Structures are given as structure tokens and as C-alpha cells.
Amino acid sequence: AAFWSMDVVLSLNSGFYSSDGGLVMHRRTIVCKYARTWMLLDVSLLVPEWTLLISDDEVSILSTVGALRSFRVLRVLRLLRLVKVDKIWRQMRERINSNYFLLAVGVARLIGCLAVMIHVLACVWHWLGASQQDGWVKHRSADGASFWYFYFTSVHWSLTQF
């Protein structure tokens, strides 16, 4: 919540380039452009988030105030922020002139995606082993195996699938 709150503040104070290429630094024009583009989405996603952070008990608020139930749906809409992050990423890529740096970032992204895929497959493999009566997790639990044994066994299995 703090990052996106700061993003709203920075967006209200950041100039932009107009369609004719000129730099616009007038606060009123900046606020009007932000209000037409991202402000509604940002505020609609931040209000429920801050409401739930400030409240002591999310369940009691959501059960007493019916209008706040729609905030649960808005929390899912947080994924729309990825559109804004992608736009920022593209702008940063345009400003970086080093092909080696861009290549390193691309390789890091691929490794990160691969690590997430391996983790998800490992979790699915562990879930399948635990959900069966005679699954591999049940057999190893009787031997006193630790959490890390199960996790790295699942990771090993998911690595062998590639």
C-alpha cells in the first residue's frame, strides 16, 4: 500500500511530455491529465487497501458494512497495476543504452520465471503426494522427514521434468 500511495503522490507531482514534444510542468495540467488517466484506478485500489490496513479486524468490518464487500473484488483488480508497471519498465528500457545490461535483465527475468515455474510444480507435486492415502509424502512422514526434505525432493522432481 505504501509504494502505490507514494506513486499517487509522485504522479501528481511529475511532469509529462505533451503530444507536441514539449515538457509540461504546470501542476493544474499535470493533475488534470492524471485524473483522466490513472487516478481513478489508483484511488479505487488504494481506498480498500488502506481501509483494511487501518481496520483491526477485516472480517468484522466486511460483515457489518455491506458496501465494503465489494472491496474484496477491488483487491483482485490490483493486478491492473501491472499495466502501469509495464509502462514504467518500457520507459526505463528506452532510456538505458547498454545492450549488455538489457541482456542481463532479460536473462534474470527468464531465470526468475523458471524458478517460479519450478516452485509451482514442486508445490503441485507435494500436494499430489500428500493428497493420496499411500502417497510419497505419507511414507516419508513416517520416517520423520523434515519440511525441507519434502520441499527439495519436490523441487528435484520438478527439475527433472524439464
Side-chain angles (χ1 to χ4, degrees):
F3 175 80
W4 292 105
S5 298
M6 287 302 300
D7 181 57
V8 169
V9 172
L10 290 174
S11 294
L12 287 170
N13 292 302
S14 298
F16 64 93
Y17 288 100
S18 63
S19 58
D20 62 354
L23 181 62
V24 177
M25 294 298 291
H26 302 289
R27 180 175 299 275
R28 183 180 180 116
T29 310
I30 293 169
V31 171
C32 287
K33 180 176 177 12
Y34 181 58
R36 285 191 314 262
T37 55
W38 291 101
M39 189 175 204
L40 180 65
L41 177 66
D42 288 346
V43 171
S44 67
L45 293 173
L46 278 174
V47 167
E49 205 165 313
W50 278 108
T51 303
L52 295 174
L53 280 175
I54 292 171
S55 70
D56 292 334
D57 187 13
E58 177 182 346
V59 177
S60 66
I61 285 181
L62 290 176
S63 63
T64 57
V65 181
L68 289 178
R69 289 181 190 217
S70 62
F71 285 165
R72 287 182 180 173
V73 174
L74 288 176
R75 291 175 79 185
V76 174
L77 293 177
R78 286 187 225 173
L79 295 175
L80 290 177
R81 292 181 188 157
L82 293 177
V83 173
K84 194 170 187 178
V85 171
D86 184 51
K87 179 183 173 189
I88 293 169
W89 172 246
R90 278 188 275 123
Q91 288 174 347
M92 285 179 49
R93 251 190 6 224
E94 289 172 3
R95 293 181 182 158
I96 297 173
N97 292 329
S98 171
N99 287 334
Y100 294 114
F101 179 75
L102 292 175
L103 181 65
V105 169
V107 169
R109 283 180 55 199
L110 290 174
I111 290 172
C113 289
L114 185 62
V116 168
M117 286 178 22
I118 289 170
H119 172 75
V120 168
L121 281 173
C123 290
V124 168
W125 180 245
H126 183 271
W127 174 76
L128 285 173
S131 65
Q132 300 295 321
Q133 232 13 313
D134 58 344
W136 68 275
V137 174
K138 304 279 190 213
H139 289 288
R140 291 297 179 188
S141 294
D143 297 342
S146 69
F147 165 79
W148 293 109
Y149 172 80
F150 290 124
Y151 181 74
F152 285 117
T153 301
S154 299
V155 166
H156 179 264
W157 177 85
S158 62
L159 278 172
T160 61
Q161 301 309 305
F162 284 107

